[in-house]
PDB file of all heavy atoms in Angstrom:
ATOM      1  N   LEU A  17     -69.302-139.851  22.800  1.00 95.00           N
ATOM      2  CA  LEU A  17     -69.511-138.405  22.723  1.00 95.00           C
ATOM      3  C   LEU A  17     -70.140-137.875  24.000  1.00 95.00           C
ATOM      4  O   LEU A  17     -69.702-136.858  24.556  1.00 95.00           O
ATOM      5  CB  LEU A  17     -70.391-138.075  21.521  1.00 95.00           C
ATOM      6  CG  LEU A  17     -70.777-136.612  21.336  1.00 95.00           C
ATOM      7  CD1 LEU A  17     -69.540-135.754  21.076  1.00 95.00           C
ATOM      8  CD2 LEU A  17     -71.782-136.449  20.201  1.00 95.00           C
ATOM      9  N   ALA A  57     -78.300-136.739  -2.076  1.00 96.00           N
ATOM     10  CA  ALA A  57     -78.726-138.072  -1.648  1.00 96.00           C
ATOM     11  C   ALA A  57     -77.587-138.870  -1.029  1.00 96.00           C
ATOM     12  O   ALA A  57     -77.819-139.774  -0.228  1.00 96.00           O
ATOM     13  CB  ALA A  57     -79.315-138.829  -2.831  1.00 96.00           C
ATOM     14  N   LYS A 134     -95.770-112.439  -4.722  1.00 95.00           N
ATOM     15  CA  LYS A 134     -95.644-111.700  -3.463  1.00 95.00           C
ATOM     16  C   LYS A 134     -94.181-111.406  -3.128  1.00 95.00           C
ATOM     17  O   LYS A 134     -93.901-110.590  -2.252  1.00 95.00           O
ATOM     18  CB  LYS A 134     -96.280-112.489  -2.319  1.00 95.00           C
ATOM     19  CG  LYS A 134     -97.777-112.685  -2.454  1.00 95.00           C
ATOM     20  CD  LYS A 134     -98.309-113.523  -1.303  1.00 95.00           C
ATOM     21  CE  LYS A 134     -99.807-113.759  -1.439  1.00 95.00           C
ATOM     22  NZ  LYS A 134    -100.336-114.619  -0.348  1.00 95.00           N
ATOM     23  N   PHE A 185     -60.880-116.216  -7.146  1.00 91.00           N
ATOM     24  CA  PHE A 185     -61.582-116.747  -8.312  1.00 91.00           C
ATOM     25  C   PHE A 185     -60.592-117.147  -9.408  1.00 91.00           C
ATOM     26  O   PHE A 185     -60.641-118.256  -9.948  1.00 91.00           O
ATOM     27  CB  PHE A 185     -62.567-115.694  -8.812  1.00 91.00           C
ATOM     28  CG  PHE A 185     -63.312-116.068 -10.057  1.00 91.00           C
ATOM     29  CD1 PHE A 185     -64.257-117.090 -10.048  1.00 91.00           C
ATOM     30  CD2 PHE A 185     -63.104-115.387 -11.249  1.00 91.00           C
ATOM     31  CE1 PHE A 185     -64.954-117.439 -11.202  1.00 91.00           C
ATOM     32  CE2 PHE A 185     -63.798-115.723 -12.406  1.00 91.00           C
ATOM     33  CZ  PHE A 185     -64.723-116.753 -12.374  1.00 91.00           C
TER      34      PHE A 185
END
Side-chain angles (χ1 to χ4, degrees):
L17 177 64
K134 296 178 181 178
F185 177 68

